[in-house]
């Protein structure tokens, strides 16, 4: 597969710099994937609202006690009743709040589960080209971190937000019912404070897109630095490797500092004014009481209730502020989910054969065209080798067969049918791909091989491993087939990992097999075992092999020689060598390279052979 080190984006599209974020994208995402949880969330909100309303009971009890004292009507019995009422309200409030939180968390975890499944399924159906240049840290952030942040919205934000809004409306009505003039004094600072916070947020939202981009960059840089630690240490490049990570940290710190400087002046004024209602309530109340408009109990009522009038609004603001940050993540998730999936007809097509044909295929990565109208056929039951200089397009051509990418023009056919007309499920059943960079999961060896056929029996598993020449070394491991590999199968050699990958392909039993340089990382002993495994794999199948070691495909039924994205020549090994073209030059270079000693003055590894000596090396026989 082609590799690139240039792009540095995380998975997903960042918001354009200066773009205004959608503060309600998290709620839109909830409505999209929260089906079935609406009733749970509604019940949670009702319970939370009732719980918060019960918090007003102690306030009313205090006001009633003060009123009784002012009217000389206080008694032990009254205070006892008020105390019991307050206790009952507090217990009931906390009980209802606990139930509300339990229900909201249940809904939140259901949503996170649905989101992660949706993301995983959708990512699996995106074309491979979409992942070019995406950092693994970005993928982890997208699937693990960002959905987790939705928990704050569903589990806390919705019930607390609804209850805070309901409580604020109830308190507002209560204040105006008691005395509209004092109510105006109690709410006077609220619109001013929220005007200030609106201005503060407007000053920072223009930086939201850049903040999200730098956050993704930081996450990706840190993950990449940790993953590359062995290389960093071996080459003693700690400082150089840290430079990108350090720059990402500095850039993120700068954007955080910049946003804080824009927000703090007006934001601090908001936090000061929003809880300063008593500054207007007390002077206004004293003047009105002196004028005879209100009495002392009424003033006490407004001092007790009105002084905390803005607390629900403050909770609402904090919720909205969190929602704004979470919504940037929600926008990222929505953008990925809205990215068009790879076209899939979903059809199952009858295939008369398993010939693979390239018909005037053109393909490129972005604007850079790699394949320039190539045409060739890989016959069923035959080994077809793709060879050529580095960068000639061999791996790219191979990757088009299982639709890791789609062609730009022309077509690739399987049994005469355009592979784009075959449903992806059927195409994956018909093809198997053994990558040059073997990927193994962190489970057991048996689980990795069974990935090719999840329901395989033990006998089928062992048969595939034996055919891949992997059975013996697996049995020599401490737990045999139950040996856990760890991340990437790091405990195995390159040849052993490759043989497990081949066993996986054999177990899948697909009629079309694509091998992208299966012996690239193998030692001579492993290479011989892999060659035997490939011979077993090729029987009765269409086998397409990308090869750099030319001796591994000497017996191929057809060799397709690519050069700069074009088919230079095709034929069998002997014919191509005799022809004296590009393949003959590649063969001569290959034989000469094998003869170069690694140490000056040491015996030659192998004499540069004439063409008639070429059969002295191992060869893959054509499938019969």
């Amino acid at each position: 597969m082609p590799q690139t080190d240039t792009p540095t984006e995380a998975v997903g599209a960042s918001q354009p710099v200066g773009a205004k974020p959608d503060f309600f994208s998290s709620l839109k995402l909830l409505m999209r994937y929260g089906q079935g949880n609406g009733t749970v969330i509604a019940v949670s909100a009702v319970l939370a609202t009732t719980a918060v309303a019960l918090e007003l009971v102690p306030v009313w009890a205090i006001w009633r006690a003060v009123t009784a004292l002012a009217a000389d009507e206080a008694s032990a019995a009254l205070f006892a009743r008020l105390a019991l009422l307050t206790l009952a309200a507090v217990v009931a409030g906390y009980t209802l709040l606990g139930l509300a939180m339990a229900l909201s968390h249940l809904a939140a975890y259901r949503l996170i589960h649905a989101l992660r499944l949706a993301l995983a399924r959708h990512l699996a159906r995106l074309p491979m080209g979409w992942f070019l240049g995406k950092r693994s840290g970005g993928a982890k952030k997208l699937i693990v971190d960002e959905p987790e942040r939705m928990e704050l919205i569903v589990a806390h934000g919705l019930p607390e937000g609804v209850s805070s809004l309901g409580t604020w409306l109830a308190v507002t009505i209560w204040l105006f019912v008691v005395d509209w003039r004092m109510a105006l004094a109690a709410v006077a600072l609220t619109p001013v404070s929220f005007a200030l916070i609106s201005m503060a947020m407007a000053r920072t939202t223009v930086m939201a897109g850049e903040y999200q981009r730098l956050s993704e960059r930081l996450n990706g840089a840190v993950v990449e630095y940790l993953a590359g630690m062995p290389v960093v240490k071996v080459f003693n490049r700690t400082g150089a490797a840290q430079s990108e990570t350090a720059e990402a940290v500095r850039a993120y710190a700068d954007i955080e500092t910049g946003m804080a400087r824009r927000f703090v002046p007006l934001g601090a004024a908001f936090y000061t004014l929003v809880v300063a209602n008593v500054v207007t309530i007390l002077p206004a109340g004293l003047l009105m009481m002196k004028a005879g408009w209100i009495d002392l109990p009424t003033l006490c009522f407004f001092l007790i209730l009105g002084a905390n009038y803005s607390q629900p609004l403050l909770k609402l603001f904090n919720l909205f502020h969190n929602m704004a940050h979470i919504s940037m993540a929600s926008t990222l998730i929505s953008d990925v989910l809205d990215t068009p999936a790879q076209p899939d007809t979903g059809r199952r097509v009858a295939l008369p054969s398993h010939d693979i044909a390239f018909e005037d295929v053109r393909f490129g990565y972005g604007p850079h065209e790699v394949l320039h109208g190539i045409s060739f056929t890989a016959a069923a039951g035959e080994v077809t080798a793709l060879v050529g200089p580095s960068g000639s397009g061999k791996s790219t051509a191979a990757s088009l067969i299982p639709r890791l990418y789609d062609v730009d023009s022309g077509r690739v056919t399987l049994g005469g049918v355009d592979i784009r007309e075959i449903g992806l499920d059927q195409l994956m059943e018909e093809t198997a791909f053994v990558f040059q960079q073997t990927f193994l999961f962190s489970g057991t060896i048996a689980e990795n091989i069974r990935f090719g056929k999840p329901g395989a029996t033990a006998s089928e598993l062992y048969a595939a491993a034996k055919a891949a020449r992997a059975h013996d070394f697996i049995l020599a491991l401490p737990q045999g087939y139950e040996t856990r590999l760890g991340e990437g199968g790091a405990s195995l050699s390159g040849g052993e990992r490759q043989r497990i990958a081949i066993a996986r392909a054999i177990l899948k039993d697909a009629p079309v097999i694509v091998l992208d340089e299966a012996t690239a990382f193998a030692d001579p002993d492993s290479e011989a075992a892999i060659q035997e495994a490939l011979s077993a794999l090729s029987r009765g199948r269409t086998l397409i092999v990308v090869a750099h070691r030319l001796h591994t495909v000497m017996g191929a039924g057809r060799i397709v020689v690519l050069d700069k994205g074009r088919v230079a020549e095709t034929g069998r090994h002997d014919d191509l060598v005799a022809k004296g073209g590009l393949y003959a030059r590649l063969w001569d270079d290959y034989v000469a390279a094998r003869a170069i000693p690694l140490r000056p003055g040491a015996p030659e590894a192998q004499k540069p052979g004439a063409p008639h000596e070429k059969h002295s090396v191992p060869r893959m026989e054509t499938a019969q």
Side-chain angles (χ1 to χ4, degrees):
M1 299 293 294
Q3 303 293 323
T4 178
D5 297 323
T6 305
T8 57
E9 302 90 356
V11 173
S14 295
Q15 207 171 10
V17 177
K20 186 177 180 180
D22 182 358
F23 293 126
F24 298 101
S25 65
S26 54
L27 294 180
K28 294 176 182 176
L29 204 61
L30 171 63
M31 294 175 64
R32 183 174 173 183
Y33 290 95
Q35 296 92 341
N37 292 312
T39 302
V40 176
I41 294 173
V43 172
S44 173
V46 170
L47 292 176
T49 301
T50 305
V52 173
L54 289 172
E55 293 178 5
L56 297 177
V57 173
V59 175
W60 176 85
I62 294 172
W63 173 71
R64 181 71 184 85
V66 171
T67 303
L69 287 171
D72 198 21
E73 298 174 352
S75 67
L78 175 63
F79 287 167
R81 288 195 301 271
L82 292 176
L84 288 174
L85 181 62
T86 299
L87 177 61
V90 169
V91 172
Y94 277 107
T95 301
L96 293 177
L97 186 61
L99 291 173
M101 291 296 102
L103 290 175
S104 63
H105 277 81
L106 175 63
Y109 294 137
R110 285 177 178 175
L111 173 65
I112 292 171
H113 178 257
L115 268 181
R116 284 179 175 155
L117 281 181
L119 280 168
R121 289 168 178 162
H122 191 70
L123 288 172
R125 294 192 173 275
L126 291 178
M128 285 293 293
W130 186 85
F131 294 91
L132 274 180
K134 311 300 184 189
R135 283 177 162 177
S136 59
K140 177 257 183 186
K141 188 172 188 289
L142 176 71
I143 297 178
V144 178
D145 298 342
E146 305 300 18
E148 196 72 32
R149 296 173 68 183
M150 291 291 293
E151 185 264 347
L152 291 174
I153 292 293
V154 181
H156 299 277
L158 287 177
E160 291 180 8
V162 171
S163 62
S164 295
L165 181 61
T167 302
W168 173 74
L169 290 173
V171 169
T172 301
I173 294 171
W174 194 1
L175 291 176
F176 275 91
V177 167
V178 172
D179 191 285
W180 66 270
R181 296 161 298 191
M182 284 297 298
L184 288 176
V187 304
L189 293 179
T190 299
V192 177
S193 60
F194 275 86
L196 291 173
I197 198 61
S198 298
M199 294 167 61
M201 292 184 67
R203 296 180 63 184
T204 57
T205 51
V206 294
M207 304 173 70
E210 182 70 359
Y211 171 84
Q212 180 70 11
R213 186 186 71 81
L214 293 176
S215 175
E216 294 167 8
R217 178 190 176 191
L218 173 64
N219 197 77
V222 170
V223 171
E224 186 177 81
Y225 177 70
L226 294 176
M229 188 58 66
V231 177
V232 172
K233 286 187 173 294
V234 166
F235 288 93
N236 195 27
R237 299 287 291 173
T238 305
Q242 282 181 333
S243 60
E244 160 61 14
T245 306
E247 176 57 31
V249 172
R250 282 192 292 269
Y252 181 77
D254 288 344
I255 193 72
E256 283 271 22
T257 303
M259 293 180 74
R261 286 174 176 166
R262 284 172 171 253
F263 178 84
V264 165
L266 296 176
F270 161 76
Y271 279 107
T272 301
L273 292 179
V274 78
V275 293
N277 305 72
V278 70
V279 173
T280 56
I281 292 173
L282 188 57
L286 291 174
L287 290 174
M288 292 183 191
M289 192 169 67
K290 184 177 181 180
W293 295 349
I294 62 172
D295 54 16
L296 180 60
T298 302
L299 177 59
C300 292
F301 170 81
F302 277 92
L303 287 174
I304 295 170
L305 188 62
N308 295 313
Y309 169 76
S310 295
Q311 287 298 329
L313 291 180
L314 187 59
K315 188 180 291 186
L316 275 176
F317 163 72
N318 290 330
L319 167 65
F320 185 77
H321 189 261
N322 288 332
M323 188 185 297
H325 282 276
I326 294 171
S327 289
M328 286 189 280
S330 303
T331 302
L332 181 63
I333 294 173
S334 297
D335 288 344
V336 173
L337 291 172
D338 290 338
T339 301
Q342 191 170 28
D344 181 11
T345 64
R347 296 168 50 199
R348 301 196 70 86
V349 181
L351 301 173
S353 73
H354 288 95
D355 293 344
I356 295 289
F358 280 64
E359 301 176 2
D360 195 27
V361 169
R362 293 181 177 273
F363 173 77
Y365 302 104
H368 175 58
E369 189 173 80
V370 177
L371 301 179
H372 313 293
I374 66 170
S375 299
F376 67 87
T377 299
E382 185 175 85
V383 178
T384 300
L386 304 180
V387 304
S390 295
S392 59
K394 305 181 295 296
S395 293
T396 296
S399 68
L400 298 178
I401 296 170
R403 286 190 70 191
L404 300 184
Y405 304 90
D406 279 333
V407 300
D408 294 334
S409 66
R411 66 178 192 155
V412 178
T413 64
L414 172 58
V417 181
D418 192 322
I419 59 173
R420 290 170 294 186
E421 297 299 318
I422 303 171
L424 285 173
D425 287 342
Q426 182 186 1
L427 183 62
M428 294 304 102
E429 293 170 5
E430 301 287 346
T431 60
F433 200 107
V434 179
F435 294 91
Q436 178 177 341
Q437 299 283 350
T438 302
F439 180 82
L440 298 179
F441 296 94
S442 59
T444 66
I445 290 177
E447 289 169 345
N448 271 276
I449 297 176
R450 277 201 175 97
F451 201 77
K453 184 180 179 182
T457 64
S459 59
E460 290 175 322
L461 177 72
Y462 300 151
K466 289 176 182 177
R469 305 305 186 266
H471 183 71
D472 291 339
F473 86 77
I474 293 174
L475 290 182
L477 294 171
Q479 285 83 40
Y481 281 86
E482 297 307 312
T483 301
R484 300 194 71 83
L485 296 181
E487 186 173 354
S491 59
L492 301 179
S493 71
E496 289 170 341
R497 289 197 298 271
Q498 201 72 21
R499 277 179 274 171
I500 289 177
I502 293 171
R504 188 161 58 193
I506 292 174
L507 188 61
K508 184 177 181 180
D509 196 27
V512 178
I513 307 291
V514 183
L515 304 172
D516 189 358
E517 188 48 77
T519 61
F521 304 108
D523 55 73
D525 288 338
S526 293
E527 182 178 356
I530 291 173
Q531 285 298 109
E532 292 179 3
L534 295 181
S535 295
L537 180 63
S538 64
R539 294 190 182 97
R541 296 178 174 90
T542 305
L543 187 61
I544 298 96
V545 181
V546 176
H548 298 92
R549 299 180 181 182
L550 297 184
H551 71 272
T552 62
V553 293
M554 289 170 54
R558 174 173 297 186
I559 298 175
V560 179
V561 185
L562 296 176
D563 184 29
K564 298 179 181 178
R566 294 181 171 84
V567 176
E569 50 191 353
T570 62
R572 294 182 65 89
H573 173 82
D574 293 341
D575 298 333
L576 291 172
V577 170
K579 193 175 180 180
L582 175 60
Y583 182 83
R585 293 196 300 274
L586 292 173
W587 176 254
D588 289 343
D589 292 342
Y590 171 75
V591 174
R594 289 169 62 88
I596 297 174
L598 294 179
R599 185 184 301 165
E604 292 181 351
Q606 179 181 322
K607 288 271 186 186
H612 68 273
E613 297 175 321
K614 60 190 173 294
H615 298 300
S616 60
V617 291
R619 55 190 295 172
M620 181 190 297
E621 297 298 334
T622 301
Q624 298 297 330

